Amino acid sequence: MPKRQGKKGGKRKKSHTSASHTSTSTSTRSSSKSSSQSTLYIIIGIILIFLFCAFFIYLPQIRRAFGFQDNSDIDPSKLRGYRARLRKLYERYNPNKLDE
């Protein structure tokens, strides 16, 4: 019985055209993934900026909701002290503005 003339190596190698097609689809997939990932980071960044700004805009309401007191009450004696120090400062460095 004659020997069969078969293929050497048993496994067939892929041609160049299919390999380049596979690498192209892989790079397209990875660029699509990175694009969607960067979009996600941009959206998260915008949300964080919005929350940061909203915190400072609504700070008085937030303080009231949690029961923190507003410490901006200034009694008349403190106010007199502030004015006296300011008057001394103006007398020393800018006497022209003392009348204002």
Side-chain angles (χ1 to χ4, degrees):
M1 191 167 195
K3 283 190 171 184
R4 231 187 208 185
Q5 295 288 333
K7 300 172 191 167
K8 291 186 177 180
K11 291 186 179 179
R12 184 175 162 193
K13 293 183 180 181
K14 292 182 181 179
S15 67
H16 270 302
T17 57
S18 65
S20 66
H21 178 68
T22 305
S23 66
T24 306
S25 65
T26 305
S27 67
T28 304
R29 237 180 300 151
S30 66
S31 68
S32 171
K33 185 178 179 182
S34 66
S35 174
S36 65
Q37 191 175 16
S38 64
T39 305
L40 177 68
Y41 286 139
I42 290 172
I43 291 171
I44 289 173
I46 290 171
I47 290 171
L48 287 175
I49 290 170
F50 175 76
L51 289 175
F52 185 76
C53 292
F55 175 76
F56 286 104
I57 291 170
Y58 293 106
L59 187 61
Q61 290 88 343
I62 293 170
R63 289 177 64 100
R64 241 181 282 132
F66 286 116
F68 295 118
Q69 293 295 327
D70 188 17
N71 295 333
S72 64
D73 296 334
I74 299 175
D75 56 342
S77 63
K78 271 189 181 179
L79 196 55
R80 271 183 300 210
Y82 291 151
R83 285 184 186 148
R85 272 182 269 162
L86 189 61
R87 194 175 308 115
K88 285 181 185 178
L89 182 76
Y90 275 129
E91 285 172 359
R92 185 172 182 181
Y93 293 109
N94 197 357
N96 297 335
K97 277 198 159 192
L98 193 60
D99 298 330
E100 290 179 16

